[in-house]
Amino acid sequence: MSWVGTGEAFAASYAALCAGTGETMREIAGPARGRTLLDVGAGDGTLAAAWADAGWRVVATEPEPSMREVAGVGHPQLTMLGDGLPHLSFDDRAFDVVTANFVLNHVSDPRVASAELRRVARELVIATTWTASPTALWADVIARAGLTPAPGRHLPADKDFERTAEGVAGMLADAGWHAEVTELTWTWHADPEALWRSVAGGVAGAGAFYLTLPDADRERFRSAFDALVGERSDDGRMPMTQTAAIAVDRLG
């Protein structure tokens, strides 16, 4: 899955979804007390900015230039670097806390990436992954439109892990973590037009699929989406239940 050029579309849509874990992550980390924090895979900077607003001394990394550009406009106070997993250009134990929000489900080797997060953390590392697809809506849209979904992309068997709390914990144990893993469920009340912008902008698997379609199939896709919005929306919003694993390793 390519995120190239998707910064604006992501910021207008799924950034709000991914921010649903932010309050819980900050509760886990506790008061800032002047501590340093590295946010890896910071996207458009939404969560990194929230950490900074809470008093943390934040450095954010994001390898995709369009994401950094959007972050620079929306959150000019952030220090945003182009580092990305699996190799971060920081010393061992460089930051009190290290976070990676919905990053490990997008890397080519989750264990190597997880070990790298732990390497640069001094006190605490927190990572989240999806345990239920946040985009199940699009599977319904594709079925309603009578289209053939693209084949799913999977990691090689020796790199993959089961998308459950237990599977996340096992993968992290392989990477050297002593992880506490819990699941968080919440409801995202999505703006339908923001959802549509994500697809039209090529965000995630649904967007990548949509951009491959000929014009006639794009029209069928849009009609199916509009029909589902009409059936499921509540006061103009689409309630979508989300479930994610939050993993914590307390280093000392």
Side-chain angles (χ1 to χ4, degrees):
M1 181 188 307
S2 174
W3 292 91
V4 174
T6 62
E8 289 189 1
F10 175 81
S13 56
Y14 285 116
L17 164 62
C18 293
T21 56
E23 183 177 353
T24 298
M25 294 170 75
R26 290 190 294 276
E27 289 175 355
I28 290 168
R33 299 192 302 273
R35 287 184 289 167
T36 57
L37 181 137
L38 176 67
D39 187 26
V40 178
D44 73 332
T46 295
L47 280 188
W51 285 104
D53 289 345
W56 292 82
R57 292 185 287 147
V58 176
V59 172
T61 71
E62 172 54 55
E64 168 49 33
S66 68
M67 296 283 190
R68 295 199 305 273
E69 183 177 353
V70 170
V73 173
H75 309 290
Q77 77 280 17
L78 282 179
T79 299
M80 179 77 79
L81 305 178
D83 275 44
L85 293 168
H87 304 297
L88 302 171
S89 59
F90 305 106
D91 293 337
D92 294 356
R93 297 169 57 84
F95 296 89
D96 294 315
V97 176
V98 175
T99 61
N101 193 48
F102 302 119
V103 173
L104 296 179
N105 43 297
H106 293 297
V107 297
S108 59
D109 193 328
R111 290 165 181 81
V112 169
S114 300
E116 183 71 348
L117 294 175
R118 194 176 194 272
R119 179 186 70 79
V120 297
R122 184 163 45 246
E123 297 178 8
L124 186 71
V125 57
I126 309 172
T128 65
T129 61
W130 296 113
T131 52
S133 172
T135 56
L137 165 70
W138 301 116
D140 295 342
V141 170
I142 290 168
R144 173 78 62 102
L147 300 172
T148 301
R153 293 185 178 182
H154 300 283
L155 294 174
D158 63 327
K159 299 290 193 295
D160 210 353
F161 62 96
E162 185 178 292
R163 292 330 198 250
T164 62
E166 293 78 10
V168 172
M171 180 273 290
L172 291 173
D174 293 342
W177 285 44
H178 304 286
E180 308 163 12
V181 182
T182 58
E183 281 195 310
L184 176 68
T185 298
W186 74 102
T187 300
W188 180 40
H189 297 275
D191 177 352
E193 280 309 307
L195 285 171
W196 182 253
R197 187 170 177 183
S198 76
V199 169
V203 175
F209 172 73
Y210 175 80
L211 294 182
T212 68
L213 297 175
D215 288 345
D217 286 348
R218 289 189 184 189
E219 291 177 6
R220 292 163 63 191
F221 192 107
R222 179 68 202 236
S223 295
F225 172 75
D226 289 341
L228 285 174
V229 167
E231 294 171 8
R232 299 181 183 180
S233 62
D234 181 13
D235 293 330
R237 297 274 171 168
M238 289 281 285
M240 299 168 65
T241 301
Q242 311 298 322
T243 304
I246 299 183
V248 181
D249 193 354
R250 303 179 188 277
L251 306 178

